[in-house]
Amino acid sequence: MPANSRQLIIDAAAEVFSRCGYHLSSMDAIAESAGVAKGTLYYHFPGKSALLRSVIIEGLEMLTQETRSCIQSAQDFDSSLRRIIHSHMKIYTDYQDLATLVFNESITGLDQQYFEQIRAAKQSHLSMLASLFDLGCQ
């Protein structure tokens, strides 16, 4: 398997899920958009729910890493806040499909375990931001 096939699939899935929604997206359409064989798609992801989970979780992990970096490199609250806002806006501009998926709260029909993992990842990121705001208010 090419080393970047997984990332090609993630990127294609974000676009297809964002454009069509979870229920109308098909693994066939994602494989076609990624330019990979369907077997390659299933090599990396056992199904559509797992793929959506990976797209959102990995996107949130990217945001979380960037947020931590902003906090560690800033010297004060105002600087941290400015860097975080700038980095979030850049990520959401560069990855508009990810933004659509992260802010979508109505993913019905998703396997419950994946839904809970996505919700926990969102909550973790929001908690990190909230703790920064709490520090700034002191």
Side-chain angles (χ1 to χ4, degrees), residues 110-129:
L110 186 65
D111 292 351
Q112 189 63 28
Q113 71 178 19
Y114 296 134
F115 179 79
E116 292 300 325
Q117 290 171 350
I118 289 169
R119 191 167 57 155
K122 285 181 179 182
Q123 186 58 46
S124 175
H125 184 71
L126 291 174
S127 293
M128 182 180 21
L129 292 174

mmCIF file of all heavy atoms in Angstrom, residues 110-129:
data_model
loop_
_atom_site.group_PDB
_atom_site.id
_atom_site.type_symbol
_atom_site.label_atom_id
_atom_site.label_comp_id
_atom_site.label_asym_id
_atom_site.label_seq_id
_atom_site.Cartn_x
_atom_site.Cartn_y
_atom_site.Cartn_z
ATOM 1 N N LEU A 110 -24.813 6.928 13.091
ATOM 2 C CA LEU A 110 -23.413 6.568 13.274
ATOM 3 C C LEU A 110 -23.319 5.551 14.408
ATOM 4 O O LEU A 110 -24.042 5.660 15.405
ATOM 5 C CB LEU A 110 -22.606 7.825 13.619
ATOM 6 C CG LEU A 110 -21.093 7.701 13.712
ATOM 7 C CD1 LEU A 110 -20.506 7.358 12.344
ATOM 8 C CD2 LEU A 110 -20.501 9.020 14.191
ATOM 9 N N ASP A 111 -22.439 4.568 14.265
ATOM 10 C CA ASP A 111 -22.251 3.590 15.333
ATOM 11 C C ASP A 111 -22.041 4.329 16.660
ATOM 12 O O ASP A 111 -21.253 5.273 16.729
ATOM 13 C CB ASP A 111 -21.038 2.704 15.054
ATOM 14 C CG ASP A 111 -21.238 1.783 13.867
ATOM 15 O OD1 ASP A 111 -22.371 1.696 13.357
ATOM 16 O OD2 ASP A 111 -20.258 1.151 13.444
ATOM 17 N N GLN A 112 -22.726 3.885 17.688
ATOM 18 C CA GLN A 112 -22.715 4.580 18.979
ATOM 19 C C GLN A 112 -21.302 4.752 19.534
ATOM 20 O O GLN A 112 -20.963 5.817 20.037
ATOM 21 C CB GLN A 112 -23.591 3.847 19.996
ATOM 22 C CG GLN A 112 -23.804 4.612 21.279
ATOM 23 C CD GLN A 112 -24.552 5.922 21.092
ATOM 24 O OE1 GLN A 112 -25.352 6.084 20.183
ATOM 25 N NE2 GLN A 112 -24.281 6.874 21.953
ATOM 26 N N GLN A 113 -20.454 3.735 19.406
ATOM 27 C CA GLN A 113 -19.094 3.855 19.958
ATOM 28 C C GLN A 113 -18.321 4.964 19.257
ATOM 29 O O GLN A 113 -17.577 5.709 19.887
ATOM 30 C CB GLN A 113 -18.337 2.534 19.853
ATOM 31 C CG GLN A 113 -17.944 2.156 18.431
ATOM 32 C CD GLN A 113 -17.157 0.867 18.360
ATOM 33 O OE1 GLN A 113 -17.179 0.072 19.276
ATOM 34 N NE2 GLN A 113 -16.453 0.682 17.274
ATOM 35 N N TYR A 114 -18.491 5.111 17.951
ATOM 36 C CA TYR A 114 -17.800 6.160 17.210
ATOM 37 C C TYR A 114 -18.383 7.525 17.538
ATOM 38 O O TYR A 114 -17.657 8.513 17.666
ATOM 39 C CB TYR A 114 -17.853 5.897 15.708
ATOM 40 C CG TYR A 114 -17.121 4.642 15.289
ATOM 41 C CD1 TYR A 114 -17.697 3.747 14.401
ATOM 42 C CD2 TYR A 114 -15.849 4.354 15.768
ATOM 43 C CE1 TYR A 114 -17.027 2.595 14.013
ATOM 44 C CE2 TYR A 114 -15.180 3.205 15.385
ATOM 45 C CZ TYR A 114 -15.766 2.327 14.502
ATOM 46 O OH TYR A 114 -15.107 1.198 14.121
ATOM 47 N N PHE A 115 -19.701 7.580 17.674
ATOM 48 C CA PHE A 115 -20.355 8.834 18.042
ATOM 49 C C PHE A 115 -19.819 9.320 19.387
ATOM 50 O O PHE A 115 -19.505 10.499 19.556
ATOM 51 C CB PHE A 115 -21.876 8.654 18.093
ATOM 52 C CG PHE A 115 -22.604 9.892 18.490
ATOM 53 C CD1 PHE A 115 -22.816 10.907 17.573
ATOM 54 C CD2 PHE A 115 -23.072 10.052 19.791
ATOM 55 C CE1 PHE A 115 -23.487 12.066 17.945
ATOM 56 C CE2 PHE A 115 -23.741 11.206 20.162
ATOM 57 C CZ PHE A 115 -23.946 12.221 19.243
ATOM 58 N N GLU A 116 -19.701 8.420 20.348
ATOM 59 C CA GLU A 116 -19.192 8.782 21.677
ATOM 60 C C GLU A 116 -17.735 9.228 21.605
ATOM 61 O O GLU A 116 -17.331 10.164 22.312
ATOM 62 C CB GLU A 116 -19.348 7.615 22.652
ATOM 63 C CG GLU A 116 -20.794 7.293 22.999
ATOM 64 C CD GLU A 116 -21.528 8.454 23.654
ATOM 65 O OE1 GLU A 116 -20.908 9.223 24.417
ATOM 66 O OE2 GLU A 116 -22.732 8.594 23.394
ATOM 67 N N GLN A 117 -16.923 8.578 20.785
ATOM 68 C CA GLN A 117 -15.518 8.976 20.632
ATOM 69 C C GLN A 117 -15.410 10.373 20.023
ATOM 70 O O GLN A 117 -14.575 11.178 20.453
ATOM 71 C CB GLN A 117 -14.767 7.954 19.780
ATOM 72 C CG GLN A 117 -14.571 6.630 20.467
ATOM 73 C CD GLN A 117 -14.017 5.558 19.534
ATOM 74 O OE1 GLN A 117 -13.933 5.730 18.326
ATOM 75 N NE2 GLN A 117 -13.651 4.427 20.114
ATOM 76 N N ILE A 118 -16.238 10.660 19.044
ATOM 77 C CA ILE A 118 -16.240 11.994 18.427
ATOM 78 C C ILE A 118 -16.672 13.037 19.454
ATOM 79 O O ILE A 118 -16.038 14.088 19.594
ATOM 80 C CB ILE A 118 -17.158 12.022 17.190
ATOM 81 C CG1 ILE A 118 -16.530 11.210 16.051
ATOM 82 C CG2 ILE A 118 -17.440 13.457 16.748
ATOM 83 C CD1 ILE A 118 -17.458 10.948 14.886
ATOM 84 N N ARG A 119 -17.727 12.735 20.181
ATOM 85 C CA ARG A 119 -18.210 13.674 21.193
ATOM 86 C C ARG A 119 -17.137 13.911 22.263
ATOM 87 O O ARG A 119 -16.924 15.044 22.693
ATOM 88 C CB ARG A 119 -19.495 13.159 21.825
ATOM 89 C CG ARG A 119 -20.166 14.205 22.679
ATOM 90 C CD ARG A 119 -21.562 13.833 23.038
ATOM 91 N NE ARG A 119 -21.578 12.538 23.712
ATOM 92 C CZ ARG A 119 -22.521 12.157 24.539
ATOM 93 N NH1 ARG A 119 -23.537 12.948 24.775
ATOM 94 N NH2 ARG A 119 -22.476 10.988 25.115
ATOM 95 N N ALA A 120 -16.456 12.864 22.691
ATOM 96 C CA ALA A 120 -15.401 13.010 23.702
ATOM 97 C C ALA A 120 -14.240 13.848 23.171
ATOM 98 O O ALA A 120 -13.680 14.674 23.907
ATOM 99 C CB ALA A 120 -14.912 11.635 24.149
ATOM 100 N N ALA A 121 -13.872 13.658 21.915
ATOM 101 C CA ALA A 121 -12.773 14.439 21.328
ATOM 102 C C ALA A 121 -13.150 15.915 21.227
ATOM 103 O O ALA A 121 -12.330 16.796 21.523
ATOM 104 C CB ALA A 121 -12.406 13.885 19.955
ATOM 105 N N LYS A 122 -14.389 16.196 20.828
ATOM 106 C CA LYS A 122 -14.854 17.583 20.773
ATOM 107 C C LYS A 122 -14.822 18.203 22.169
ATOM 108 O O LYS A 122 -14.363 19.327 22.355
ATOM 109 C CB LYS A 122 -16.276 17.659 20.219
ATOM 110 C CG LYS A 122 -16.385 17.448 18.732
ATOM 111 C CD LYS A 122 -17.844 17.564 18.300
ATOM 112 C CE LYS A 122 -18.024 17.379 16.825
ATOM 113 N NZ LYS A 122 -19.439 17.542 16.414
ATOM 114 N N GLN A 123 -15.317 17.452 23.149
ATOM 115 C CA GLN A 123 -15.364 17.957 24.517
ATOM 116 C C GLN A 123 -13.962 18.204 25.069
ATOM 117 O O GLN A 123 -13.724 19.191 25.762
ATOM 118 C CB GLN A 123 -16.128 16.992 25.428
ATOM 119 C CG GLN A 123 -16.345 17.522 26.820
ATOM 120 C CD GLN A 123 -17.091 18.846 26.830
ATOM 121 O OE1 GLN A 123 -18.087 19.011 26.138
ATOM 122 N NE2 GLN A 123 -16.596 19.809 27.579
ATOM 123 N N SER A 124 -13.039 17.335 24.751
ATOM 124 C CA SER A 124 -11.667 17.494 25.207
ATOM 125 C C SER A 124 -11.058 18.787 24.667
ATOM 126 O O SER A 124 -10.407 19.546 25.401
ATOM 127 C CB SER A 124 -10.830 16.285 24.775
ATOM 128 O OG SER A 124 -9.485 16.469 25.098
ATOM 129 N N HIS A 125 -11.271 19.035 23.397
ATOM 130 C CA HIS A 125 -10.733 20.261 22.790
ATOM 131 C C HIS A 125 -11.392 21.496 23.411
ATOM 132 O O HIS A 125 -10.709 22.457 23.771
ATOM 133 C CB HIS A 125 -10.936 20.242 21.276
ATOM 134 C CG HIS A 125 -10.332 21.423 20.598
ATOM 135 N ND1 HIS A 125 -8.973 21.592 20.465
ATOM 136 C CD2 HIS A 125 -10.899 22.516 20.044
ATOM 137 C CE1 HIS A 125 -8.727 22.734 19.863
ATOM 138 N NE2 HIS A 125 -9.886 23.311 19.594
ATOM 139 N N LEU A 126 -12.704 21.455 23.565
ATOM 140 C CA LEU A 126 -13.406 22.596 24.164
ATOM 141 C C LEU A 126 -12.983 22.817 25.614
ATOM 142 O O LEU A 126 -12.869 23.960 26.062
ATOM 143 C CB LEU A 126 -14.914 22.389 24.077
ATOM 144 C CG LEU A 126 -15.503 22.467 22.665
ATOM 145 C CD1 LEU A 126 -16.983 22.110 22.690
ATOM 146 C CD2 LEU A 126 -15.278 23.831 22.053
ATOM 147 N N SER A 127 -12.725 21.743 26.335
ATOM 148 C CA SER A 127 -12.274 21.867 27.723
ATOM 149 C C SER A 127 -10.916 22.539 27.805
ATOM 150 O O SER A 127 -10.662 23.354 28.698
ATOM 151 C CB SER A 127 -12.218 20.497 28.393
ATOM 152 O OG SER A 127 -13.503 19.960 28.534
ATOM 153 N N MET A 128 -10.030 22.196 26.856
ATOM 154 C CA MET A 128 -8.710 22.830 26.833
ATOM 155 C C MET A 128 -8.864 24.329 26.586
ATOM 156 O O MET A 128 -8.224 25.142 27.255
ATOM 157 C CB MET A 128 -7.813 22.217 25.763
ATOM 158 C CG MET A 128 -6.443 22.839 25.761
ATOM 159 S SD MET A 128 -5.224 22.247 24.580
ATOM 160 C CE MET A 128 -6.138 21.497 23.314
ATOM 161 N N LEU A 129 -9.730 24.705 25.657
ATOM 162 C CA LEU A 129 -9.969 26.127 25.397
ATOM 163 C C LEU A 129 -10.590 26.806 26.610
ATOM 164 O O LEU A 129 -10.206 27.920 26.969
ATOM 165 C CB LEU A 129 -10.864 26.296 24.168
ATOM 166 C CG LEU A 129 -10.265 25.906 22.828
ATOM 167 C CD1 LEU A 129 -11.312 26.001 21.733
ATOM 168 C CD2 LEU A 129 -9.055 26.762 22.504
#
